[in-house]
Amino acid sequence: MSRLLHRLAACAAGAALAVAGPFATRAHADTPAAANLATNPGFEIPQLPLDDWGSIPGWQCTTGEAAIGSPARSGGSALLVTPAAADSTGRCEQILGVRPGTTYTLSAWVRGAYVFLGAEGTGHDVAPAWTPDTGGEWHRLTTTFTTGSAVTSVRLYLHGWYGQGAYAADDVRVDGPAPAPARALWNVPTGDPVLFVTVDDGWQRTPEAAALIADRKLPVTAFPLPMPLGFDPDWFRAVTAAPGSSIQDHGVSHRDLTTLSAEEQQAEICGGRDAALRRTGTAPTVFRPPYLAWNADTLQAAANCGMTTVMTATADFSWGASNVYHGGPLRPGDVVLLHFTDTLASDLARVLAAADAAGLRPAGLTEYLS
């Protein structure tokens, strides 16, 4: 019952936003807030439940080389990196959403010999800030970068140098205007006779569902969690093989984001993005909030992680249900929520029958959001 209430509240909020149209987010876009945009900048957020083992929320580091620990410059923990081999620099990085044509200041406190801090993909060549040796003390590295006219994300990095041993980092900052918040939708405004099939989580993967999807060449937008996606990436690639299909972002821990801070929400969303990118080679642009629950912090955190859309749903056909939140039959642009469960094959069959009755056909979600 609590899950259903979350969904209904979220859909009501989505409906209100859909009525408001683009004006609900445009005010934010015209008055960007200057803030620290980095994900988990102080390395205070511990490993998230259901994430890949050894992950540092918000950061992608060479496996087995990085950890969160002490001593820290501030707070309770810092990034501690020990290169595993002489040919490794112990690189850690994160992808961050930015505004085109905008100047940002990047800084971090570091300790060790030959530590580097920089940004890639800015649209311009940017030399990193670095220090030959901090003498065992904390030293602040600072640099600036200006994004190109078409740049909407950059890659921040920290690393040491070959054969120079361990280094530490703490209190990373990216100061500058935040990207415009992601838009929140519960349907896709279109006059075309289409609907969109979306499937969440990924814990149960049945051959019956895979066969139905393949036989019907059904465009499916999957929102798997990192752990099941990591268990069986080939299966998810198979069920998203039809044209128009894609794997998008569902966060990491399946927690109700409205109970988390803005910083924790950003770590959850960016973590889900990183898992999908690592397994598929393509960065998601659509985020499905767990329980369809979101708030204003969710929209900004999603944008900081490179998402353009926070997508809920207008109908739920999971576990034998046939709930259409706006009442009546399915309509053009409806987004149908399903889950990877042992009932998925029959749930999909019921969706397709309802779509046929309404004169609708399944279509690719991202194709209609671009």
Side-chain angles (χ1 to χ4, degrees):
M1 179 61 71
S2 62
R3 178 176 292 184
L4 176 60
L5 292 175
H6 274 308
R7 290 177 180 162
L8 293 176
C11 287
L17 188 57
V19 171
F23 304 107
T25 57
R26 188 169 294 148
H28 292 286
D30 292 339
T31 56
N36 183 9
L37 304 183
T39 306
N40 197 10
F43 306 96
E44 301 296 330
I45 299 174
Q47 182 182 348
L48 300 173
L50 308 184
D51 205 352
D52 292 341
W53 182 86
S55 297
I56 296 174
W59 295 89
Q60 298 299 302
C61 304
T62 306
T63 302
E65 294 188 341
I68 292 177
S70 60
R73 177 187 171 268
S74 68
S77 57
L79 175 68
L80 309 176
V81 181
T82 303
D87 61 353
S88 173
T89 63
R91 179 174 168 123
C92 290
E93 61 185 32
Q94 66 172 251
I95 301 171
L96 188 66
V98 292
R99 286 178 169 255
T102 304
T103 298
Y104 293 88
T105 299
L106 170 62
S107 65
W109 288 84
V110 301
R111 191 176 61 189
Y114 290 94
V115 188
F116 292 75
L117 170 72
E120 296 174 341
T122 64
H124 307 284
D125 291 334
V126 181
W130 65 284
T131 178
D133 197 343
T134 67
E137 303 297 327
W138 288 100
H139 173 78
R140 188 175 188 234
L141 296 177
T142 303
T143 186
T144 62
F145 62 88
T146 300
T147 55
S149 60
V151 171
T152 58
S153 66
V154 298
R155 189 182 300 270
L156 313 179
Y157 64 84
L158 282 157
H159 66 74
W161 199 245
Y162 305 103
Q164 298 301 312
Y167 73 89
D170 204 357
D171 300 326
V172 179
R173 292 198 62 89
V174 182
D175 291 302
R183 59 182 172 172
L185 296 175
W186 75 328
N187 66 357
V188 179
T190 179
D192 292 350
V194 297
L195 55 69
F196 306 95
V197 176
T198 67
V199 193
D200 288 9
D201 298 350
W203 294 114
Q204 293 174 288
R205 301 173 293 279
T206 67
E208 295 82 5
L212 186 153
I213 292 168
D215 291 345
R216 296 292 296 265
K217 296 182 173 56
L218 183 63
V220 169
T221 303
F223 294 92
L225 296 167
M227 190 173 286
L229 177 59
F231 285 158
D232 204 350
D234 289 342
W235 192 88
F236 286 100
R237 279 192 286 268
V239 297
T240 55
S245 299
S246 65
I247 292 177
Q248 299 294 327
D249 188 354
H250 196 35
V252 174
S253 305
H254 211 280
R255 293 183 289 177
D256 179 347
L257 296 186
T258 64
T259 67
L260 305 180
S261 68
E263 293 78 10
E264 290 173 309
Q265 291 198 41
Q266 186 163 322
E268 286 275 353
I269 298 170
C270 287
R273 173 208 60 199
D274 291 340
L277 176 59
R278 188 163 57 250
R279 301 296 182 183
T280 70
T282 302
T285 58
V286 184
F287 174 65
R288 162 66 56 74
Y291 310 112
L292 307 185
W294 57 271
N295 56 23
D297 285 340
T298 312
L299 302 185
Q300 188 59 65
N304 292 355
C305 296
M307 303 298 117
T308 60
T309 306
V310 172
M311 177 61 72
T312 56
T314 50
D316 187 348
F317 277 57
S318 304
W319 294 291
S322 298
N323 298 319
V324 180
Y325 294 136
H326 55 63
L330 294 169
R331 301 172 183 167
D334 273 347
V335 176
V336 180
L337 171 67
L338 296 156
H339 289 80
F340 289 107
T341 66
D342 57 0
T343 65
L344 179 57
S346 60
D347 293 339
L348 283 168
R350 203 167 54 261
V351 171
L352 295 175
D356 287 342
L360 305 175
R361 59 178 174 82
L365 180 62
T366 56
E367 295 174 350
Y368 274 78
L369 291 176
S370 59

